[in-house]
């Protein structure tokens, strides 16, 4: 079994994190907004939070990014990106299962947002027990998923 670890991101990881983001999310971003290297680089520079991001390692090699926010009523998975060369090996699943366990232990929900066109990630999250609770963003491009039970509105019939 692969040894998975987390280490704090450092300033030296900023360029790695951008390359990883481009490899893991570039196709989705291109499909929705188009990829403009300068715009994406500027966005990444503003978003890079070495004090909150962790680098995911597998057998000692850097393979991804994790950003988790522990909020009063939920654990919010703000970002999990695994390099495509390491996807499908259970790394993300194991990390998410750990977060699910933490949320359960604290009586909280695990919540995240996923791009609507990222069907592979949605399938993984559903397999792990999360479900859609809302859509948001321009043209509903993001899906909020959570362990929180979905709110069903009453059906009104005339």
């Amino acid at each position: 079994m692969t040894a998975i670890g987390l280490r704090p991101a450092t300033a030296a990881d900023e360029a790695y994190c951008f390359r990883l983001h481009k490899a893991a999310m570039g196709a989705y971003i291109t499909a929705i907004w188009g990829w403009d290297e300068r715009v994406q680089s500027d966005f990444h520079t503003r978003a890079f939070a070495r004090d909150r991001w962790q680098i995911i390692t597998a057998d000692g090699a850097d393979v991804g990014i994790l950003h988790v926010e522990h909020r009063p009523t939920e654990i919010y998975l703000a970002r999990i990106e695994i390099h495509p060369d390491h996807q499908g090996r259970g790394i993300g699943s194991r990390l998410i299962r750990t977060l699910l366990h933490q949320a359960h232990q604290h009586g909280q929900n695990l919540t995240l947002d996923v791009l609507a066109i990222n069907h592979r990630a949605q399938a993984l999250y559903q397999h792990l027990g999360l479900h859609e609770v809302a859509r948001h963003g321009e043209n509903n491009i993001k899906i909020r998923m959570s362990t929180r039970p979905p709110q069903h509105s009453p059906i009104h019939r005339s």
Side-chain angles (χ1 to χ4, degrees), residues 24-96:
M25 299 299 296
Y28 301 113
I29 292 167
T30 299
I32 296 170
W33 297 286
W35 186 273
D36 179 312
E37 190 78 11
R38 187 179 57 74
V39 169
Q40 291 301 318
S41 178
D42 290 349
F43 180 78
H44 174 75
T45 298
R46 286 190 309 275
F48 182 69
R50 70 175 189 244
D51 58 329
R52 293 186 306 242
W53 290 15
Q54 294 178 292
I55 304 300
I56 303 165
T57 62
D59 293 333
D62 294 345
V63 301
I65 306 166
L66 181 69
H67 174 195
V68 178
E69 297 176 6
H70 294 271
R71 297 176 175 175
T73 60
E74 68 184 3
I75 295 176
Y76 180 70
L77 178 54
R79 179 181 296 227
I80 184 168
E81 294 177 3
I82 309 290
H83 192 282
D85 292 346
H86 297 277
Q87 291 177 3
R89 298 182 183 178
I91 297 167
S93 296
R94 286 170 52 194
L95 291 167
I96 294 168

Side-chain angles (χ1 to χ4, degrees), residues 48-144:
F48 182 69
R50 70 175 189 244
D51 58 329
R52 293 186 306 242
W53 290 15
Q54 294 178 292
I55 304 300
I56 303 165
T57 62
D59 293 333
D62 294 345
V63 301
I65 306 166
L66 181 69
H67 174 195
V68 178
E69 297 176 6
H70 294 271
R71 297 176 175 175
T73 60
E74 68 184 3
I75 295 176
Y76 180 70
L77 178 54
R79 179 181 296 227
I80 184 168
E81 294 177 3
I82 309 290
H83 192 282
D85 292 346
H86 297 277
Q87 291 177 3
R89 298 182 183 178
I91 297 167
S93 296
R94 286 170 52 194
L95 291 167
I96 294 168
R97 282 189 183 101
T98 298
L99 293 172
L100 287 164
H101 179 74
Q102 289 175 6
H104 178 74
Q105 292 291 351
H106 292 96
Q108 296 178 312
N109 295 303
L110 177 64
T111 304
L112 57 85
D113 289 301
V114 61
L115 292 173
I117 65 170
N118 191 344
H119 303 291
R120 183 176 180 192
Q122 289 173 51
L124 170 64
Y125 302 145
Q126 288 170 347
H127 175 76
L128 294 172
L130 286 89
H131 44 264
E132 180 177 334
V133 294
R135 289 190 180 231
H136 62 98
E138 186 177 332
N139 297 317
N140 288 323
I141 60 169
K142 293 183 182 178
I143 298 173
R144 171 75 39 101

